[in-house]
Amino acid sequence: MITLLRIDDRLIHGQVAFAWTKHLGVNCILVANDTVVKDELKKMMLNLAKPPGVKLLLFSVADAVSFLNSEEADKYKTFVLVDKAPDALALCQGVKGISAVNVGGMRMAEGKKMISSAVAVNEADIQAFETMASMGVEVEVRQVPTEKKKNIMELIG
């Protein structure tokens, strides 16, 4: 069961490992990322960053869709992490039952504009968010669970 799908370009870090994992009461973190699955150092770093007692699964985006649609996924209370909006969209389109996406952190880079203190977007991100919204998926911005939700479409303007 998916408890939350979060976009955070840092993937697993303090806010994710402790604030969100504890708040959600999850026993599994699934990172869906085509680059990480090919990088042994990144995989090792993510494994070290996860909280004790929480299972870590690392999949490509396509393999994450397959896993999350399988009966095996029902055994876990899963927190899903991606690092970019198009990957979140692929999961929303491929996995039944995703009704909300949390945007935690998307750093500033060339071609992006800041829409909140921790979120910068480009045209591909905006298109992905618009598509998710048109699918009825709630896309909200919050860095930690105690913050008030902000609708991303209102921030994009």
Side-chain angles (χ1 to χ4, degrees), residues 119-154:
V119 178
V121 295
N122 60 23
E123 282 305 313
D125 299 325
I126 292 169
Q127 288 177 358
F129 292 135
E130 287 173 345
T131 303
M132 285 183 249
S134 74
M135 295 168 59
V137 175
E138 174 194 14
V139 184
E140 51 98 357
V141 175
R142 276 189 297 168
Q143 288 183 279
V144 293
T146 54
E147 283 182 357
K148 185 179 178 199
K149 293 180 182 182
K150 297 175 195 147
N151 183 302
I152 198 146
M153 298 314 293
E154 291 173 10

Side-chain angles (χ1 to χ4, degrees), residues 27-103:
N27 59 9
C28 180
I29 295 174
L30 185 153
V31 173
N33 186 283
D34 294 340
T35 304
V36 167
V37 295
K38 299 173 188 172
D39 187 323
E40 292 303 317
L41 180 60
K42 285 183 182 176
K43 290 195 290 191
M44 184 178 68
M45 289 172 33
L46 290 172
N47 197 44
L48 291 171
K50 76 166 183 66
V54 174
K55 184 173 185 66
L56 176 64
L57 300 173
L58 304 168
F59 290 115
S60 67
V61 174
D63 288 344
V65 168
S66 295
F67 174 79
L68 291 167
N69 284 319
S70 74
E71 288 182 17
E72 178 73 15
D74 294 338
K75 296 177 184 178
Y76 302 103
K77 192 171 181 186
T78 306
F79 182 17
V80 180
L81 296 167
V82 297
D83 68 350
K84 53 187 163 285
D87 289 350
L89 174 59
L91 290 173
C92 289
Q93 291 173 325
V95 179
K96 295 176 188 170
I98 297 176
S99 60
V101 174
N102 165 259
V103 182

Side-chain angles (χ1 to χ4, degrees), residues 9 106-114 118-121:
D9 60 13
M106 297 172 63
R107 283 176 273 206
M108 186 63 178
E110 188 174 333
K112 290 191 167 200
K113 67 176 181 175
M114 294 300 296
V119 178
V121 295

